[in-house]
Amino acid sequence: MANFKKIRKKTVNYLDRCAFYIDTNNLIEFDLIKRILVKVEDEAIERLNEVLKGLRIYIGGHHRNTGKLGYFTNETYEFDFHKRRLTIFLAPIFKLGFTRWKKTEFGALLRYVWESFCHEIIMALIFAMKINTSLMEEAQGKDLNKFDEVSRNFFDDLLHKYDGYIPRINFISINNKLWKEELPEKFGFLRVLYNREIKQMKKHLAVPRYPQFLKVKIFNELRKIKLGYKYEYNLSELINYCIHNDRFEDFFKNNWKIYKELQREFYYKGKRIVLKFFKEYDIPLKEYRDSANRRHFFITHEIFERVKSVCLQRCIAKLESKYLEGYWEFKAFYAQCPICKTYDINDKVCQEFYFSENYNYFKELLLEGMQNAGSLEELNDESYYFGIPCPDCFSLVRNIQGRFEDLELVKQFVIAYSVCPVCHAKNHKEYLLDFFYEDERAELKELLIKNIKNHNRYEKLNINLGIPCCLCFEELFGEPPAMNLLADLI
Ligand SMILES: [Zn+2]
Ligand SMILES: [Zn+2]
Ligand SMILES: [Zn+2]
């Protein structure tokens, strides 16, 4: 009996090279910390031995000593200057990993939790290593989480003014090594937090408004659990990794909407490229059938790490040559506004014409024009324009081609009817242009156009010829203007 008690109580361990104790509180396997600490260089461990008496694991939250003298408290750890002890909090560590996972396009949740754990432990150790040991005692009497100047200055001395040698922890190399390893088998209390979150997420699946993106993530996570967490990635996550890259995001940075529109197409192209690559090199895929008998493919973390950059490069190269290179040529050809002749039509406008489905009709004409002419000049003359107008000109002509004569007419129309005949308020330009380009009341438009020149004369005769503003329209008819009703007023 006594023996059993002893074993249960023994949560404290020592690790090779380390003079400080490690108290897991039975919350996690000792191995989790061991895997990190064995990768820390000797020098750094020696320095930690000077500063640290102990490292312990807590769940978090209410165990913090914020405001008490001699404690430095952070989101995920706390340093007790009385006992020279670091306390690591699991709950906020889990939360950080979970939050990061929710935002990414790929990866298994436990991988992010593990990464977050490693990251926060290393950060806490780096903090401990920097402590100015000669100020250790003085720190016991200070509130180290205060933000006034005196406290800040002391804290600065405490962390940045140590005369002795402080070795570096090579954070990136340790992190890389940890990322390449298999996931730990046992996560202890982190697993409890994980299971709670999974339960919570399952409930979200039933909420209709819950974002689809997250629902897909949850479904994939559940499938990974079913496959014993041996396969950390759905194939679709690899494809997403390939098509959501900096290169394309930078390219479409002014046109997020178009980028989103293209994503579907990119995805299917990306999928073909990736599958071809897998076939070519005989890379194994784990098949999974869901309850509706749909097939899903999964890959291990090791394979994902091995193939991700090749797949990314292939996708970028193929998609770039298919979509973007043609675009460069297009943009270079139509770089000048055919109406006002300004150069450098911006990417936003050009991309909209080239990539958005709304402008398919214009795009086809523009591509045809490009094929039939050596330069943009050949497609334009004194009376006729063709090309991509700058945003200002396009708002006026709403077309890629036309006669300059008609452009003049629009301009005169907008000036002539710029004032509401009822209240004399100024009419919005867009409102007038909507009216001008509306086909339904061609006769009325004709009448107004015919009378552009006579407009002033009518006004002197007190005849209300014009386009009532939207407010007057609502006042008169009790509803917002529909273009085909305007004629009745005149
Ligand atoms: Zn222009
Ligand atoms: Zn009015
Ligand atoms: Zn208005």
Side-chain angles (χ1 to χ4, degrees), residues 197-238:
E197 200 59 63
I198 291 288
K199 221 173 134 188
Q200 200 60 35
M201 288 196 293
K202 275 186 185 165
K203 285 184 197 156
H204 290 150
L205 288 175
V207 180
R209 276 176 309 140
Y210 200 71
Q212 188 59 27
F213 164 73
L214 287 175
K215 281 188 181 174
V216 171
K217 274 187 93 76
I218 298 166
F219 273 126
N220 276 330
E221 187 69 20
L222 294 174
R223 287 168 194 141
K224 287 167 196 174
I225 295 173
K226 277 197 181 147
L227 290 170
Y229 236 75
K230 281 195 207 104
Y231 304 90
E232 290 180 40
Y233 302 82
N234 186 304
L235 185 70
S236 66
E237 294 174 87
L238 174 62

mmCIF file of all heavy atoms in Angstrom, residues 197-238:
data_model
loop_
_atom_site.group_PDB
_atom_site.id
_atom_site.type_symbol
_atom_site.label_atom_id
_atom_site.label_comp_id
_atom_site.label_asym_id
_atom_site.label_seq_id
_atom_site.Cartn_x
_atom_site.Cartn_y
_atom_site.Cartn_z
ATOM 1 N N GLU A 197 -12.407 19.813 -26.829
ATOM 2 C CA GLU A 197 -12.581 20.691 -27.984
ATOM 3 C C GLU A 197 -13.259 19.944 -29.136
ATOM 4 O O GLU A 197 -14.125 20.484 -29.819
ATOM 5 C CB GLU A 197 -11.210 21.223 -28.422
ATOM 6 C CG GLU A 197 -11.256 22.472 -29.262
ATOM 7 C CD GLU A 197 -11.936 23.634 -28.571
ATOM 8 O OE1 GLU A 197 -11.424 24.094 -27.537
ATOM 9 O OE2 GLU A 197 -12.988 24.075 -29.070
ATOM 10 N N ILE A 198 -12.868 18.690 -29.322
ATOM 11 C CA ILE A 198 -13.485 17.879 -30.379
ATOM 12 C C ILE A 198 -14.983 17.733 -30.122
ATOM 13 O O ILE A 198 -15.808 17.872 -31.034
ATOM 14 C CB ILE A 198 -12.821 16.473 -30.440
ATOM 15 C CG1 ILE A 198 -11.384 16.584 -30.949
ATOM 16 C CG2 ILE A 198 -13.625 15.516 -31.316
ATOM 17 C CD1 ILE A 198 -11.238 16.895 -32.426
ATOM 18 N N LYS A 199 -15.325 17.505 -28.874
ATOM 19 C CA LYS A 199 -16.747 17.366 -28.511
ATOM 20 C C LYS A 199 -17.491 18.658 -28.852
ATOM 21 O O LYS A 199 -18.584 18.635 -29.425
ATOM 22 C CB LYS A 199 -16.830 17.096 -26.998
ATOM 23 C CG LYS A 199 -17.862 16.038 -26.647
ATOM 24 C CD LYS A 199 -17.770 15.700 -25.178
ATOM 25 C CE LYS A 199 -19.158 15.671 -24.562
ATOM 26 N NZ LYS A 199 -19.079 15.539 -23.093
ATOM 27 N N GLN A 200 -16.858 19.758 -28.500
ATOM 28 C CA GLN A 200 -17.451 21.073 -28.773
ATOM 29 C C GLN A 200 -17.625 21.283 -30.285
ATOM 30 O O GLN A 200 -18.651 21.754 -30.750
ATOM 31 C CB GLN A 200 -16.500 22.129 -28.192
ATOM 32 C CG GLN A 200 -17.125 23.467 -27.953
ATOM 33 C CD GLN A 200 -18.284 23.357 -26.976
ATOM 34 O OE1 GLN A 200 -18.275 22.564 -26.048
ATOM 35 N NE2 GLN A 200 -19.329 24.138 -27.226
ATOM 36 N N MET A 201 -16.600 20.903 -31.027
ATOM 37 C CA MET A 201 -16.629 21.134 -32.478
ATOM 38 C C MET A 201 -17.690 20.279 -33.149
ATOM 39 O O MET A 201 -18.308 20.700 -34.121
ATOM 40 C CB MET A 201 -15.254 20.846 -33.084
ATOM 41 C CG MET A 201 -14.220 21.911 -32.739
ATOM 42 S SD MET A 201 -12.754 21.851 -33.775
ATOM 43 C CE MET A 201 -12.025 20.305 -33.309
ATOM 44 N N LYS A 202 -17.897 19.070 -32.630
ATOM 45 C CA LYS A 202 -18.934 18.212 -33.201
ATOM 46 C C LYS A 202 -20.292 18.901 -33.124
ATOM 47 O O LYS A 202 -21.114 18.775 -34.031
ATOM 48 C CB LYS A 202 -18.981 16.887 -32.439
ATOM 49 C CG LYS A 202 -17.986 15.869 -32.936
ATOM 50 C CD LYS A 202 -18.230 14.562 -32.210
ATOM 51 C CE LYS A 202 -17.198 13.513 -32.560
ATOM 52 N NZ LYS A 202 -17.244 12.393 -31.607
ATOM 53 N N LYS A 203 -20.496 19.635 -32.042
ATOM 54 C CA LYS A 203 -21.755 20.380 -31.909
ATOM 55 C C LYS A 203 -21.856 21.452 -32.991
ATOM 56 O O LYS A 203 -22.923 21.715 -33.520
ATOM 57 C CB LYS A 203 -21.835 21.029 -30.524
ATOM 58 C CG LYS A 203 -22.143 20.052 -29.420
ATOM 59 C CD LYS A 203 -22.301 20.799 -28.105
ATOM 60 C CE LYS A 203 -22.202 19.823 -26.932
ATOM 61 N NZ LYS A 203 -21.794 20.519 -25.705
ATOM 62 N N HIS A 204 -20.731 22.072 -33.305
ATOM 63 C CA HIS A 204 -20.738 23.130 -34.329
ATOM 64 C C HIS A 204 -21.184 22.617 -35.694
ATOM 65 O O HIS A 204 -21.727 23.362 -36.487
ATOM 66 C CB HIS A 204 -19.344 23.757 -34.464
ATOM 67 C CG HIS A 204 -18.966 24.567 -33.280
ATOM 68 N ND1 HIS A 204 -17.650 24.722 -32.879
ATOM 69 C CD2 HIS A 204 -19.703 25.258 -32.392
ATOM 70 C CE1 HIS A 204 -17.622 25.476 -31.799
ATOM 71 N NE2 HIS A 204 -18.846 25.809 -31.479
ATOM 72 N N LEU A 205 -20.926 21.336 -35.932
ATOM 73 C CA LEU A 205 -21.280 20.781 -37.245
ATOM 74 C C LEU A 205 -22.764 20.894 -37.524
ATOM 75 O O LEU A 205 -23.194 20.954 -38.672
ATOM 76 C CB LEU A 205 -20.845 19.309 -37.328
ATOM 77 C CG LEU A 205 -19.349 19.058 -37.429
ATOM 78 C CD1 LEU A 205 -19.060 17.577 -37.370
ATOM 79 C CD2 LEU A 205 -18.792 19.657 -38.719
ATOM 80 N N ALA A 206 -23.561 20.941 -36.454
ATOM 81 C CA ALA A 206 -25.009 21.021 -36.626
ATOM 82 C C ALA A 206 -25.498 22.462 -36.784
ATOM 83 O O ALA A 206 -26.664 22.697 -37.077
ATOM 84 C CB ALA A 206 -25.697 20.367 -35.443
ATOM 85 N N VAL A 207 -24.589 23.429 -36.585
ATOM 86 C CA VAL A 207 -25.001 24.837 -36.689
ATOM 87 C C VAL A 207 -24.910 25.281 -38.145
ATOM 88 O O VAL A 207 -23.823 25.294 -38.718
ATOM 89 C CB VAL A 207 -24.091 25.741 -35.817
ATOM 90 C CG1 VAL A 207 -24.524 27.197 -35.925
ATOM 91 C CG2 VAL A 207 -24.127 25.270 -34.366
ATOM 92 N N PRO A 208 -26.051 25.626 -38.755
ATOM 93 C CA PRO A 208 -26.019 25.948 -40.193
ATOM 94 C C PRO A 208 -25.104 27.115 -40.536
ATOM 95 O O PRO A 208 -24.457 27.094 -41.568
ATOM 96 C CB PRO A 208 -27.483 26.324 -40.497
ATOM 97 C CG PRO A 208 -28.277 25.746 -39.384
ATOM 98 C CD PRO A 208 -27.400 25.711 -38.179
ATOM 99 N N ARG A 209 -25.039 28.121 -39.666
ATOM 100 C CA ARG A 209 -24.256 29.301 -40.022
ATOM 101 C C ARG A 209 -22.762 29.156 -39.720
ATOM 102 O O ARG A 209 -21.979 30.044 -40.035
ATOM 103 C CB ARG A 209 -24.798 30.527 -39.287
ATOM 104 C CG ARG A 209 -25.975 31.186 -40.001
ATOM 105 C CD ARG A 209 -26.489 32.320 -39.160
ATOM 106 N NE ARG A 209 -26.730 31.852 -37.796
ATOM 107 C CZ ARG A 209 -26.452 32.559 -36.697
ATOM 108 N NH1 ARG A 209 -25.923 33.741 -36.791
ATOM 109 N NH2 ARG A 209 -26.701 32.065 -35.496
ATOM 110 N N TYR A 210 -22.376 28.068 -39.098
ATOM 111 C CA TYR A 210 -20.957 27.875 -38.779
ATOM 112 C C TYR A 210 -20.155 27.806 -40.091
ATOM 113 O O TYR A 210 -20.572 27.142 -41.038
ATOM 114 C CB TYR A 210 -20.787 26.591 -37.977
ATOM 115 C CG TYR A 210 -19.491 26.523 -37.203
ATOM 116 C CD1 TYR A 210 -19.286 27.330 -36.098
ATOM 117 C CD2 TYR A 210 -18.481 25.655 -37.588
ATOM 118 C CE1 TYR A 210 -18.099 27.281 -35.395
ATOM 119 C CE2 TYR A 210 -17.288 25.590 -36.883
ATOM 120 C CZ TYR A 210 -17.102 26.409 -35.790
ATOM 121 O OH TYR A 210 -15.917 26.359 -35.106
ATOM 122 N N PRO A 211 -19.016 28.522 -40.182
ATOM 123 C CA PRO A 211 -18.305 28.614 -41.470
ATOM 124 C C PRO A 211 -17.973 27.251 -42.081
ATOM 125 O O PRO A 211 -17.466 26.367 -41.389
ATOM 126 C CB PRO A 211 -17.016 29.346 -41.108
ATOM 127 C CG PRO A 211 -17.306 30.047 -39.833
ATOM 128 C CD PRO A 211 -18.355 29.257 -39.108
ATOM 129 N N GLN A 212 -18.237 27.136 -43.357
ATOM 130 C CA GLN A 212 -18.013 25.888 -44.081
ATOM 131 C C GLN A 212 -16.549 25.444 -43.988
ATOM 132 O O GLN A 212 -16.254 24.270 -43.807
ATOM 133 C CB GLN A 212 -18.438 26.079 -45.544
ATOM 134 C CG GLN A 212 -18.450 24.807 -46.369
ATOM 135 C CD GLN A 212 -19.380 23.746 -45.802
ATOM 136 O OE1 GLN A 212 -20.361 24.055 -45.128
ATOM 137 N NE2 GLN A 212 -19.061 22.488 -46.046
ATOM 138 N N PHE A 213 -15.670 26.408 -44.108
ATOM 139 C CA PHE A 213 -14.234 26.146 -44.035
ATOM 140 C C PHE A 213 -13.882 25.375 -42.753
ATOM 141 O O PHE A 213 -13.131 24.405 -42.767
ATOM 142 C CB PHE A 213 -13.511 27.497 -44.089
ATOM 143 C CG PHE A 213 -12.071 27.481 -43.644
ATOM 144 C CD1 PHE A 213 -11.098 26.910 -44.440
ATOM 145 C CD2 PHE A 213 -11.701 28.064 -42.437
ATOM 146 C CE1 PHE A 213 -9.770 26.908 -44.034
ATOM 147 C CE2 PHE A 213 -10.375 28.060 -42.027
ATOM 148 C CZ PHE A 213 -9.412 27.483 -42.827
ATOM 149 N N LEU A 214 -14.481 25.806 -41.635
ATOM 150 C CA LEU A 214 -14.182 25.145 -40.364
ATOM 151 C C LEU A 214 -14.870 23.791 -40.271
ATOM 152 O O LEU A 214 -14.323 22.858 -39.700
ATOM 153 C CB LEU A 214 -14.607 26.044 -39.192
ATOM 154 C CG LEU A 214 -13.698 27.254 -38.963
ATOM 155 C CD1 LEU A 214 -14.254 28.158 -37.883
ATOM 156 C CD2 LEU A 214 -12.290 26.801 -38.572
ATOM 157 N N LYS A 215 -16.053 23.698 -40.860
ATOM 158 C CA LYS A 215 -16.731 22.401 -40.859
ATOM 159 C C LYS A 215 -15.885 21.348 -41.577
ATOM 160 O O LYS A 215 -15.733 20.224 -41.111
ATOM 161 C CB LYS A 215 -18.104 22.511 -41.525
ATOM 162 C CG LYS A 215 -19.158 23.117 -40.626
ATOM 163 C CD LYS A 215 -20.527 23.024 -41.250
ATOM 164 C CE LYS A 215 -21.560 23.667 -40.330
ATOM 165 N NZ LYS A 215 -22.888 23.733 -40.935
ATOM 166 N N VAL A 216 -15.335 21.735 -42.718
ATOM 167 C CA VAL A 216 -14.473 20.814 -43.465
ATOM 168 C C VAL A 216 -13.283 20.405 -42.600
ATOM 169 O O VAL A 216 -12.900 19.239 -42.539
ATOM 170 C CB VAL A 216 -14.005 21.460 -44.787
ATOM 171 C CG1 VAL A 216 -12.942 20.611 -45.461
ATOM 172 C CG2 VAL A 216 -15.188 21.671 -45.716
ATOM 173 N N LYS A 217 -12.726 21.379 -41.908
ATOM 174 C CA LYS A 217 -11.584 21.087 -41.019
ATOM 175 C C LYS A 217 -11.967 20.078 -39.943
ATOM 176 O O LYS A 217 -11.217 19.165 -39.635
ATOM 177 C CB LYS A 217 -11.100 22.381 -40.351
ATOM 178 C CG LYS A 217 -10.108 23.165 -41.167
ATOM 179 C CD LYS A 217 -9.557 24.331 -40.380
ATOM 180 C CE LYS A 217 -8.279 23.980 -39.655
ATOM 181 N NZ LYS A 217 -7.117 23.908 -40.529
ATOM 182 N N ILE A 218 -13.152 20.284 -39.376
ATOM 183 C CA ILE A 218 -13.600 19.389 -38.304
ATOM 184 C C ILE A 218 -13.810 17.974 -38.854
ATOM 185 O O ILE A 218 -13.351 16.996 -38.269
ATOM 186 C CB ILE A 218 -14.887 19.919 -37.651
ATOM 187 C CG1 ILE A 218 -14.627 21.293 -37.012
ATOM 188 C CG2 ILE A 218 -15.387 18.950 -36.579
ATOM 189 C CD1 ILE A 218 -15.878 22.058 -36.626
ATOM 190 N N PHE A 219 -14.486 17.878 -39.995
ATOM 191 C CA PHE A 219 -14.711 16.567 -40.608
ATOM 192 C C PHE A 219 -13.383 15.855 -40.841
ATOM 193 O O PHE A 219 -13.232 14.671 -40.532
ATOM 194 C CB PHE A 219 -15.465 16.708 -41.934
ATOM 195 C CG PHE A 219 -16.958 16.736 -41.754
ATOM 196 C CD1 PHE A 219 -17.718 17.769 -42.265
ATOM 197 C CD2 PHE A 219 -17.610 15.706 -41.081
ATOM 198 C CE1 PHE A 219 -19.096 17.800 -42.098
ATOM 199 C CE2 PHE A 219 -18.976 15.727 -40.910
ATOM 200 C CZ PHE A 219 -19.730 16.774 -41.419
ATOM 201 N N ASN A 220 -12.442 16.592 -41.374
ATOM 202 C CA ASN A 220 -11.140 15.980 -41.630
ATOM 203 C C ASN A 220 -10.462 15.529 -40.345
ATOM 204 O O ASN A 220 -9.853 14.465 -40.295
ATOM 205 C CB ASN A 220 -10.236 16.944 -42.398
ATOM 206 C CG ASN A 220 -10.502 16.881 -43.888
ATOM 207 O OD1 ASN A 220 -10.899 15.826 -44.396
ATOM 208 N ND2 ASN A 220 -10.305 17.978 -44.580
ATOM 209 N N GLU A 221 -10.578 16.348 -39.321
ATOM 210 C CA GLU A 221 -9.977 15.992 -38.034
ATOM 211 C C GLU A 221 -10.614 14.703 -37.494
ATOM 212 O O GLU A 221 -9.921 13.817 -37.004
ATOM 213 C CB GLU A 221 -10.148 17.151 -37.046
ATOM 214 C CG GLU A 221 -9.434 16.989 -35.714
ATOM 215 C CD GLU A 221 -7.909 17.064 -35.820
ATOM 216 O OE1 GLU A 221 -7.397 17.596 -36.821
ATOM 217 O OE2 GLU A 221 -7.231 16.556 -34.901
ATOM 218 N N LEU A 222 -11.923 14.599 -37.634
ATOM 219 C CA LEU A 222 -12.617 13.398 -37.147
ATOM 220 C C LEU A 222 -12.176 12.163 -37.934
ATOM 221 O O LEU A 222 -12.013 11.076 -37.378
ATOM 222 C CB LEU A 222 -14.135 13.579 -37.243
ATOM 223 C CG LEU A 222 -14.732 14.674 -36.329
ATOM 224 C CD1 LEU A 222 -16.208 14.865 -36.606
ATOM 225 C CD2 LEU A 222 -14.495 14.347 -34.856
ATOM 226 N N ARG A 223 -11.991 12.336 -39.236
ATOM 227 C CA ARG A 223 -11.505 11.210 -40.048
ATOM 228 C C ARG A 223 -10.095 10.813 -39.624
ATOM 229 O O ARG A 223 -9.753 9.627 -39.589
ATOM 230 C CB ARG A 223 -11.509 11.593 -41.533
ATOM 231 C CG ARG A 223 -12.900 11.659 -42.116
ATOM 232 C CD ARG A 223 -12.902 12.304 -43.484
ATOM 233 N NE ARG A 223 -14.260 12.656 -43.861
ATOM 234 C CZ ARG A 223 -14.600 13.770 -44.511
ATOM 235 N NH1 ARG A 223 -13.673 14.641 -44.868
ATOM 236 N NH2 ARG A 223 -15.854 14.021 -44.805
ATOM 237 N N LYS A 224 -9.278 11.805 -39.298
ATOM 238 C CA LYS A 224 -7.914 11.506 -38.844
ATOM 239 C C LYS A 224 -7.955 10.708 -37.553
ATOM 240 O O LYS A 224 -7.156 9.783 -37.362
ATOM 241 C CB LYS A 224 -7.134 12.809 -38.645
ATOM 242 C CG LYS A 224 -6.747 13.470 -39.954
ATOM 243 C CD LYS A 224 -6.259 14.892 -39.761
ATOM 244 C CE LYS A 224 -6.275 15.628 -41.089
ATOM 245 N NZ LYS A 224 -5.958 17.055 -40.954
ATOM 246 N N ILE A 225 -8.867 11.053 -36.678
ATOM 247 C CA ILE A 225 -9.004 10.287 -35.430
ATOM 248 C C ILE A 225 -9.387 8.852 -35.767
ATOM 249 O O ILE A 225 -8.830 7.903 -35.219
ATOM 250 C CB ILE A 225 -10.060 10.939 -34.508
ATOM 251 C CG1 ILE A 225 -9.589 12.326 -34.065
ATOM 252 C CG2 ILE A 225 -10.318 10.072 -33.278
ATOM 253 C CD1 ILE A 225 -10.619 13.124 -33.284
ATOM 254 N N LYS A 226 -10.333 8.701 -36.698
ATOM 255 C CA LYS A 226 -10.774 7.351 -37.079
ATOM 256 C C LYS A 226 -9.632 6.534 -37.660
ATOM 257 O O LYS A 226 -9.605 5.316 -37.518
ATOM 258 C CB LYS A 226 -11.921 7.440 -38.090
ATOM 259 C CG LYS A 226 -13.257 7.641 -37.406
ATOM 260 C CD LYS A 226 -14.397 7.322 -38.337
ATOM 261 C CE LYS A 226 -15.729 7.561 -37.628
ATOM 262 N NZ LYS A 226 -16.762 8.019 -38.549
ATOM 263 N N LEU A 227 -8.728 7.193 -38.336
ATOM 264 C CA LEU A 227 -7.586 6.478 -38.916
ATOM 265 C C LEU A 227 -6.437 6.352 -37.910
ATOM 266 O O LEU A 227 -5.289 6.093 -38.297
ATOM 267 C CB LEU A 227 -7.108 7.200 -40.179
ATOM 268 C CG LEU A 227 -8.048 7.121 -41.395
ATOM 269 C CD1 LEU A 227 -7.598 8.070 -42.495
ATOM 270 C CD2 LEU A 227 -8.116 5.700 -41.931
ATOM 271 N N GLY A 228 -6.751 6.566 -36.655
ATOM 272 C CA GLY A 228 -5.749 6.364 -35.605
ATOM 273 C C GLY A 228 -4.664 7.436 -35.595
ATOM 274 O O GLY A 228 -3.588 7.227 -35.064
ATOM 275 N N TYR A 229 -4.954 8.555 -36.203
ATOM 276 C CA TYR A 229 -4.031 9.692 -36.258
ATOM 277 C C TYR A 229 -2.694 9.333 -36.923
ATOM 278 O O TYR A 229 -1.680 9.971 -36.676
ATOM 279 C CB TYR A 229 -3.792 10.261 -34.849
ATOM 280 C CG TYR A 229 -4.117 11.732 -34.769
ATOM 281 C CD1 TYR A 229 -5.436 12.176 -34.753
ATOM 282 C CD2 TYR A 229 -3.102 12.690 -34.746
ATOM 283 C CE1 TYR A 229 -5.736 13.511 -34.698
ATOM 284 C CE2 TYR A 229 -3.401 14.043 -34.697
ATOM 285 C CZ TYR A 229 -4.719 14.457 -34.666
ATOM 286 O OH TYR A 229 -5.015 15.789 -34.626
ATOM 287 N N LYS A 230 -2.742 8.300 -37.771
ATOM 288 C CA LYS A 230 -1.515 7.942 -38.488
ATOM 289 C C LYS A 230 -1.326 8.844 -39.698
ATOM 290 O O LYS A 230 -0.233 9.003 -40.201
ATOM 291 C CB LYS A 230 -1.592 6.487 -38.948
ATOM 292 C CG LYS A 230 -1.297 5.498 -37.840
ATOM 293 C CD LYS A 230 -1.031 4.111 -38.452
ATOM 294 C CE LYS A 230 -1.371 3.011 -37.470
ATOM 295 N NZ LYS A 230 -2.631 2.316 -37.758
ATOM 296 N N TYR A 231 -2.450 9.381 -40.169
ATOM 297 C CA TYR A 231 -2.393 10.242 -41.358
ATOM 298 C C TYR A 231 -2.860 11.633 -40.955
ATOM 299 O O TYR A 231 -4.015 11.850 -40.674
ATOM 300 C CB TYR A 231 -3.280 9.672 -42.462
ATOM 301 C CG TYR A 231 -2.902 8.251 -42.790
ATOM 302 C CD1 TYR A 231 -3.496 7.185 -42.127
ATOM 303 C CD2 TYR A 231 -1.902 7.993 -43.711
ATOM 304 C CE1 TYR A 231 -3.112 5.881 -42.391
ATOM 305 C CE2 TYR A 231 -1.510 6.691 -43.985
ATOM 306 C CZ TYR A 231 -2.120 5.639 -43.320
ATOM 307 O OH TYR A 231 -1.727 4.361 -43.582
ATOM 308 N N GLU A 232 -1.926 12.556 -40.939
ATOM 309 C CA GLU A 232 -2.251 13.864 -40.397
ATOM 310 C C GLU A 232 -2.829 14.822 -41.448
ATOM 311 O O GLU A 232 -3.253 15.913 -41.120
ATOM 312 C CB GLU A 232 -1.021 14.503 -39.754
ATOM 313 C CG GLU A 232 -0.603 13.806 -38.473
ATOM 314 C CD GLU A 232 0.620 14.448 -37.841
ATOM 315 O OE1 GLU A 232 0.730 15.687 -37.837
ATOM 316 O OE2 GLU A 232 1.482 13.687 -37.367
ATOM 317 N N TYR A 233 -2.825 14.406 -42.697
ATOM 318 C CA TYR A 233 -3.287 15.316 -43.744
ATOM 319 C C TYR A 233 -4.248 14.632 -44.710
ATOM 320 O O TYR A 233 -3.998 13.525 -45.175
ATOM 321 C CB TYR A 233 -2.107 15.862 -44.569
ATOM 322 C CG TYR A 233 -1.103 16.587 -43.733
ATOM 323 C CD1 TYR A 233 -0.127 15.876 -43.041
ATOM 324 C CD2 TYR A 233 -1.143 17.967 -43.603
ATOM 325 C CE1 TYR A 233 0.783 16.521 -42.239
ATOM 326 C CE2 TYR A 233 -0.228 18.625 -42.805
ATOM 327 C CZ TYR A 233 0.736 17.898 -42.122
ATOM 328 O OH TYR A 233 1.631 18.546 -41.318
ATOM 329 N N ASN A 234 -5.310 15.333 -45.009
ATOM 330 C CA ASN A 234 -6.160 14.949 -46.118
ATOM 331 C C ASN A 234 -5.456 15.468 -47.373
ATOM 332 O O ASN A 234 -4.816 16.528 -47.324
ATOM 333 C CB ASN A 234 -7.516 15.639 -45.930
ATOM 334 C CG ASN A 234 -8.533 15.197 -46.951
ATOM 335 O OD1 ASN A 234 -8.288 15.303 -48.147
ATOM 336 N ND2 ASN A 234 -9.657 14.716 -46.492
ATOM 337 N N LEU A 235 -5.606 14.754 -48.472
ATOM 338 C CA LEU A 235 -4.952 15.196 -49.708
ATOM 339 C C LEU A 235 -5.362 16.633 -50.060
ATOM 340 O O LEU A 235 -4.564 17.424 -50.566
ATOM 341 C CB LEU A 235 -5.302 14.245 -50.855
ATOM 342 C CG LEU A 235 -4.577 14.525 -52.165
ATOM 343 C CD1 LEU A 235 -3.096 14.189 -52.051
ATOM 344 C CD2 LEU A 235 -5.202 13.739 -53.313
ATOM 345 N N SER A 236 -6.622 16.955 -49.781
ATOM 346 C CA SER A 236 -7.106 18.304 -50.103
ATOM 347 C C SER A 236 -6.317 19.369 -49.341
ATOM 348 O O SER A 236 -6.177 20.501 -49.807
ATOM 349 C CB SER A 236 -8.594 18.427 -49.788
ATOM 350 O OG SER A 236 -8.797 18.324 -48.406
ATOM 351 N N GLU A 237 -5.796 19.004 -48.174
ATOM 352 C CA GLU A 237 -5.012 19.974 -47.416
ATOM 353 C C GLU A 237 -3.673 20.247 -48.096
ATOM 354 O O GLU A 237 -3.166 21.366 -48.062
ATOM 355 C CB GLU A 237 -4.790 19.482 -45.987
ATOM 356 C CG GLU A 237 -6.074 19.412 -45.181
ATOM 357 C CD GLU A 237 -5.871 18.796 -43.814
ATOM 358 O OE1 GLU A 237 -5.529 19.538 -42.886
ATOM 359 O OE2 GLU A 237 -6.039 17.572 -43.680
ATOM 360 N N LEU A 238 -3.125 19.217 -48.711
ATOM 361 C CA LEU A 238 -1.887 19.414 -49.465
ATOM 362 C C LEU A 238 -2.153 20.319 -50.673
ATOM 363 O O LEU A 238 -1.365 21.217 -50.980
ATOM 364 C CB LEU A 238 -1.326 18.067 -49.922
ATOM 365 C CG LEU A 238 -0.105 18.112 -50.861
ATOM 366 C CD1 LEU A 238 1.085 18.785 -50.172
ATOM 367 C CD2 LEU A 238 0.287 16.715 -51.320
#
